[in-house]
Amino acid sequence: MDFISILSIFVLACFVGYYVVWSVTPALHTPLMAVTNAISSVIIVGALIAAAAAGTPAAKWLGLLGVTLASVNIFGGFAVTARMLAMYKKKEKAAPKAGGEA
Amino acid sequence: MSTSDLVVPQGSEFQFTDESGRSIVGAVAETAHAVNPWVAVAYLAAGVLFILALRGLSSPATSRAGNRYGMIGMLIAVVTTLVTHFPGELFYGDTIVTSGESFQHFGPDWASFGEILAAIAIGAIIGLTTARRIAMTAMPQLVAAFHSLVGLAAVLVAVAAFLNPDAFGILGVSGDILPVSRIEMTLGAAIGAITFSGSVIAFAKLNGNMSGAPILLPARHWINLGTLAAILILTVMFTHSPVGGPGENPLFWVVVALAFAIGFLLIIPIGGADMPVVVSMLNSYSGWAAAAMGFTLHNTAMIITGALVGSSGAILSYIMCRAMNRSFISVIAGGFGADASSSSSGGGEQRPYKSGSAEDAAYMLEQAEKVIIIPGYGMAVAQAQHALREMADLLKEKGVEVKYAIHPVAGRMPGHMNVLLAEANVPYDEVFELEDINSEFAQADVAFIIGANDVVNPAAKTDKGSPIYGMPVFDVDKAKQVFFIKRSMGGVGYAGVDNDVFYMDQTMMLLADAKKMVEDINKALDA
């Protein structure tokens, strides 16, 4: 791909990001940060390439360290997002203690 | 012969023996970035799934599915990379280099498939354990810590690309790194480094390892501007100077070092309650770093994700700044709230206020028809959210209407209060944003303020000299009664301004630890 194609994808993705993020409900802004954190760890792709194609031991360990750091984020980020999202509940018909008269 | 001496024309195969006597066979692609179309489609699919992941967050009902899309997208991206780089054969563009007998892909200088899986497994264990154990109140520091990891990973990838540009397909015909790739990787490394050191400081401040108070260096604006200018100038110089062998041009290392320093310098003067903006901003930076590396690798998944995350963080920073009526520049310049102690002591004489007991509060809450609860950071510190939800349940049993009102900057990160209330099983349809509920205070019998302060301060509406003037605040003065839970009368809000709400006729100060006070109210309500 030439630079202009890549730049086009980037610019269009910025616009997509702009509209998608404005549509996120403010109540979910913390999960939004956690999930953006998880997906930005797609940088693991670069770390994998670095580890796979390293030419020196130093470069290999840099790559492997990058893979580990990014995986912490991927697993941690998605798991903590899932944990938070599981807590968001609608009003229940029969709340555990409340009589339900709301 | 070392790898750095090796210059092979494009489209040809090569064979040489390196210093350690290992024989290496490879091939150089016709074009540096020709990619198998299926691989490109897979990365694009990952990018689209990430968009859907964010789209799902438009409502709690669709958010869980969104999160799963994100996971699938990540799986696709990782598997695609593994398949293309560990097939026992290497793809170099459209030329497939079969691993000949002399090609030691699993030698000491290349990570084996097993080592990669081990690295992922270690990360997975650390990540999953942390995610399971972390307290919801500690979410801001967790997010800051995660940001620092993305930043550091970006730096590592950029350094790896600098050390081994051939593997990343960024070598030009001359055997030197392409100028445009140099800009991309240097920017990626610099933004990653700023994200890392900035997030480490944000983490330390949020986690209490470091005082939340701003630390002000003399002439810090000049130091910061000078460092930023140096980073940009050196990046341009790096683009125009020959790289030499892998990792040989010192300019790259200087830029990375300066970027680590500026990340540190930028965040230390920013105070604790401005952290929502800082965390959002660092979120944005981690995205731009990923995007820059995506440009280097010509990887659509990374570019789309970087753009999404970058805009997301930027929008959140904007929302936070708007909710404080401060400009982004003023937040980043830092120093806000630094003179809190001096201005409060300057206030002089003690003004009269009414204080009450938990029993008084319980009695009046029972009589109320409508109660609006305003939680703030103090509720998170006291871990009072569960007790608060019990109070709301008890009141609802008695037929009182209870709603929660959340200010955009309440807490230490965007949406912090919502998560804590959700953790305490508060249904999300009882929780309202500032602009949706502010008109209801006139009909409310009780405004119940727990751990918030500046967000209810009427000085923001009336006092032009106040540092928080113009910030949208809750109109609690319109409620018939105001209960204000506060540890003591001594402290003032983050902005360091006195709050007239304390001294209003209809205000009753409930001076105690927030959790203890709410539990006492619950006891009185239950009796």
Side-chain angles (χ1 to χ4, degrees), chain A residues 17-18 20-40 77-78 80-82 84-85 88, chain B residues 50-51 53-58 63 67 139 143 147 280 283 308-309 311-317 319-320 413-415 419:
Chain A
Y18 180 84
V20 168
V21 172
W22 272 116
S23 76
V24 171
T25 170
L28 293 177
H29 276 163
T30 296
L32 171 69
M33 298 197 93
V35 84
T36 49
N37 216 315
I39 65 173
S40 60
F78 281 122
V80 87
T81 310
M84 280 191 274
L85 293 177
Y88 282 80
Chain B
F50 292 151
I51 295 174
L54 299 198
R55 186 73 189 87
L57 291 172
S58 57
S63 59
N67 199 36
M139 202 50 69
V143 166
H147 285 156
S280 313
N283 184 25
L308 289 178
V309 178
S311 1
S312 168
I315 290 173
L316 289 177
S317 312
I319 293 175
M320 295 300 114
M413 75 184 291
V419 173

Side-chain angles (χ1 to χ4, degrees), chain A residues 1-92 95-102, chain B residues 33 43 50-51 54-55 57-60 63-64 67 70-71 74 78 81-82 85-86 105 108-111 115-116 119-120 122-124 127-128 131-132 134 136 139 142-143 146-147 149-150 152-154 156-157 159-160 163-164 167-168 180 184 279-280 283 288 290-291 293 295 297-300 302-305 307-309 311-312 315-316 318-319 396-397 413-416 418-419 422-423 425 427-430 433:
Chain A
M1 277 191 290
D2 59 312
F3 182 73
I4 291 302
S5 322
I6 294 180
L7 188 64
S8 313
I9 295 174
F10 176 69
V11 171
L12 292 175
C14 285
F15 277 92
V16 172
Y18 180 84
Y19 289 104
V20 168
V21 172
W22 272 116
S23 76
V24 171
T25 170
L28 293 177
H29 276 163
T30 296
L32 171 69
M33 298 197 93
V35 84
T36 49
N37 216 315
I39 65 173
S40 60
S41 308
V42 73
I43 194 126
I44 195 172
V45 167
L48 287 170
I49 295 174
T56 62
K60 168 185 151 178
W61 290 111
L62 283 181
L64 283 176
L65 179 61
V67 171
T68 309
L69 295 180
S71 334
V72 170
N73 234 323
I74 291 171
F75 286 91
F78 281 122
V80 87
T81 310
R83 198 181 135 199
M84 280 191 274
L85 293 177
M87 300 186 313
Y88 282 80
K89 294 186 192 84
K90 264 195 133 112
K91 212 172 284 182
E92 290 170 43
K97 260 185 96 181
E101 289 293 314
Chain B
H33 284 296
Y43 285 131
F50 292 151
I51 295 174
L54 299 198
R55 186 73 189 87
L57 291 172
S58 57
S59 119
S63 59
R64 286 171 276 262
N67 199 36
M71 294 182 203
M74 189 60 74
V78 170
T81 314
L82 288 177
H85 287 84
F86 293 92
H105 182 63
D109 294 352
W110 285 270
E115 284 172 320
I116 294 281
I120 294 179
I122 294 171
L128 291 175
R132 195 164 306 145
I134 192 86
M136 283 298 146
M139 202 50 69
L142 179 73
V143 166
F146 278 167
H147 285 156
L149 297 184
V150 180
L152 192 55
L156 292 176
V157 173
V159 169
L163 293 177
N164 190 6
F168 289 80
V180 65
E184 293 157 0
V279 175
S280 313
N283 184 25
W288 302 130
M293 294 322 297
F295 272 89
L297 296 175
H298 290 223
N299 184 297
T300 28
M302 282 167 82
I303 292 170
I304 294 177
T305 314
L308 289 178
V309 178
S311 1
S312 168
I315 290 173
L316 289 177
Y318 168 76
I319 293 175
K396 280 192 267 178
E397 272 178 55
M413 75 184 291
H416 192 186
N418 303 77
V419 173
E423 187 201 12
N425 279 322
Y428 61 78
D429 36 8
E430 287 177 10
E433 300 301 315

Side-chain angles (χ1 to χ4, degrees), chain B residues 267-298:
Chain B
I267 310 303
I268 54 166
I270 304 180
D274 276 345
M275 281 300 140
V277 181
V278 169
V279 175
S280 313
M281 181 188 81
L282 292 167
N283 184 25
S284 178
Y285 288 176
S286 69
W288 302 130
M293 294 322 297
F295 272 89
T296 312
L297 296 175
H298 290 223

Side-chain angles (χ1 to χ4, degrees), chain B residues 361 363-373 395 399-403 440-448 475-483 506-508:
Chain B
Y363 176 76
M364 281 187 270
L365 283 167
E366 274 180 321
Q367 309 300 317
E369 276 176 31
K370 180 169 183 171
V371 174
I372 300 178
I373 299 172
L395 288 175
V400 183
E401 184 188 3
V402 182
K403 286 184 173 180
E440 294 187 28
F441 280 100
Q443 293 101 51
D445 299 294
V446 177
F448 190 91
D475 299 326
V476 287
D477 46 327
K478 298 211 175 110
K480 291 196 191 78
Q481 277 275 320
V482 177
F483 293 165
Q506 73 264 46
T507 302
M508 184 164 81

Side-chain angles (χ1 to χ4, degrees), chain B residues 7-328:
Chain B
V7 180
V8 196
Q10 294 203 349
S12 67
E13 295 187 353
F14 61 85
Q15 177 162 19
F16 71 96
T17 310
D18 69 3
E19 298 93 332
S20 51
R22 212 175 35 233
S23 162
I24 290 173
V25 183
V28 179
E30 293 288 347
T31 49
H33 284 296
V35 184
N36 182 324
W38 287 109
V39 173
V41 168
Y43 285 131
L44 181 62
V48 171
L49 285 162
F50 292 151
I51 295 174
L52 292 175
L54 299 198
R55 186 73 189 87
L57 291 172
S58 57
S59 119
T62 55
S63 59
R64 286 171 276 262
N67 199 36
R68 281 192 289 276
Y69 288 135
M71 294 182 203
I72 297 170
M74 189 60 74
L75 189 68
I76 292 177
V78 170
V79 169
T80 306
T81 314
L82 288 177
V83 167
T84 47
H85 287 84
F86 293 92
E89 52 192 21
L90 291 176
F91 283 77
Y92 273 126
D94 50 359
T95 314
I96 298 166
V97 184
T98 315
S99 58
E101 267 175 55
S102 57
F103 190 93
Q104 299 190 0
H105 182 63
F106 301 107
D109 294 352
W110 285 270
S112 71
F113 193 63
E115 284 172 320
I116 294 281
L117 288 186
I120 294 179
I122 294 171
I125 291 167
I126 300 174
L128 291 175
T129 325
T130 317
R132 195 164 306 145
R133 290 205 184 145
I134 192 86
M136 283 298 146
T137 39
M139 202 50 69
Q141 48 267 52
L142 179 73
V143 166
F146 278 167
H147 285 156
S148 73
L149 297 184
V150 180
L152 192 55
V155 176
L156 292 176
V157 173
V159 169
F162 186 45
L163 293 177
N164 190 6
D166 190 26
F168 289 80
I170 52 175
L171 282 185
V173 187
S174 65
D176 226 353
I177 302 176
L178 294 164
V180 65
S181 299
R182 282 191 235 173
I183 298 186
E184 293 157 0
M185 62 189 257
T186 316
L187 284 182
I191 303 171
I194 294 175
T195 311
F196 173 74
S197 52
S199 297
V200 167
I201 300 299
F203 171 84
K205 289 198 173 203
L206 289 165
N207 204 35
N209 305 99
M210 191 175 157
S211 155
I215 298 168
L216 302 176
L217 298 175
R220 65 199 151 89
H221 296 311
W222 293 111
I223 296 174
N224 291 350
L225 287 175
T227 316
L228 281 177
I231 288 174
L232 291 178
I233 293 166
L234 291 173
T235 305
V236 173
M237 282 169 64
F238 175 61
T239 325
H240 289 284
S241 65
V243 170
E248 272 174 24
N249 193 317
L251 287 173
F252 176 82
W253 303 109
V254 175
V255 169
V256 174
L258 285 176
F260 276 120
I262 189 79
F264 177 78
L265 292 170
L266 275 175
I267 310 303
I268 54 166
I270 304 180
D274 276 345
M275 281 300 140
V277 181
V278 169
V279 175
S280 313
M281 181 188 81
L282 292 167
N283 184 25
S284 178
Y285 288 176
S286 69
W288 302 130
M293 294 322 297
F295 272 89
T296 312
L297 296 175
H298 290 223
N299 184 297
T300 28
M302 282 167 82
I303 292 170
I304 294 177
T305 314
L308 289 178
V309 178
S311 1
S312 168
I315 290 173
L316 289 177
S317 312
Y318 168 76
I319 293 175
M320 295 300 114
C321 289
R322 192 182 56 180
M324 297 191 291
N325 191 38
R326 312 225 342 251
S327 74
F328 185 68

Side-chain angles (χ1 to χ4, degrees), chain B residues 324-389:
Chain B
M324 297 191 291
N325 191 38
R326 312 225 342 251
S327 74
F328 185 68
I329 298 292
S330 108
V331 174
I332 294 312
F336 195 70
D339 49 0
S341 49
S342 61
S343 72
S344 66
S345 59
E349 90 279 11
Q350 198 75 42
R351 291 159 69 186
Y353 62 89
K354 275 186 289 188
S355 70
S357 67
E359 289 73 25
D360 300 337
Y363 176 76
M364 281 187 270
L365 283 167
E366 274 180 321
Q367 309 300 317
E369 276 176 31
K370 180 169 183 171
V371 174
I372 300 178
I373 299 172
I374 303 166
Y377 183 56
M379 179 194 80
V381 174
Q383 298 268 19
Q385 65 269 29
H386 298 278
L388 188 65
R389 200 257 313 153

Side-chain angles (χ1 to χ4, degrees), chain B residues 436-516:
Chain B
D436 298 328
I437 200 165
N438 218 4
S439 59
E440 294 187 28
F441 280 100
Q443 293 101 51
D445 299 294
V446 177
F448 190 91
I449 302 161
I450 170 165
N453 192 347
D454 291 336
V455 298
V456 296
N457 194 335
K461 290 184 285 188
T462 52
D463 179 6
K464 285 207 167 126
S466 168
I468 57 169
Y469 179 72
M471 169 170 153
V473 290
F474 290 113
D475 299 326
V476 287
D477 46 327
K478 298 211 175 110
K480 291 196 191 78
Q481 277 275 320
V482 177
F483 293 165
F484 206 125
I485 300 190
K486 206 169 175 303
R487 194 174 283 274
S488 71
M489 286 306 284
V492 286
Y494 169 64
V497 281
D498 206 357
N499 194 337
D500 284 339
V501 170
F502 302 158
Y503 316 108
M504 295 191 310
D505 283 342
Q506 73 264 46
T507 302
M508 184 164 81
M509 300 300 296
L510 302 170
L511 299 173
D513 172 74
K515 189 176 176 187
K516 174 110 193 359

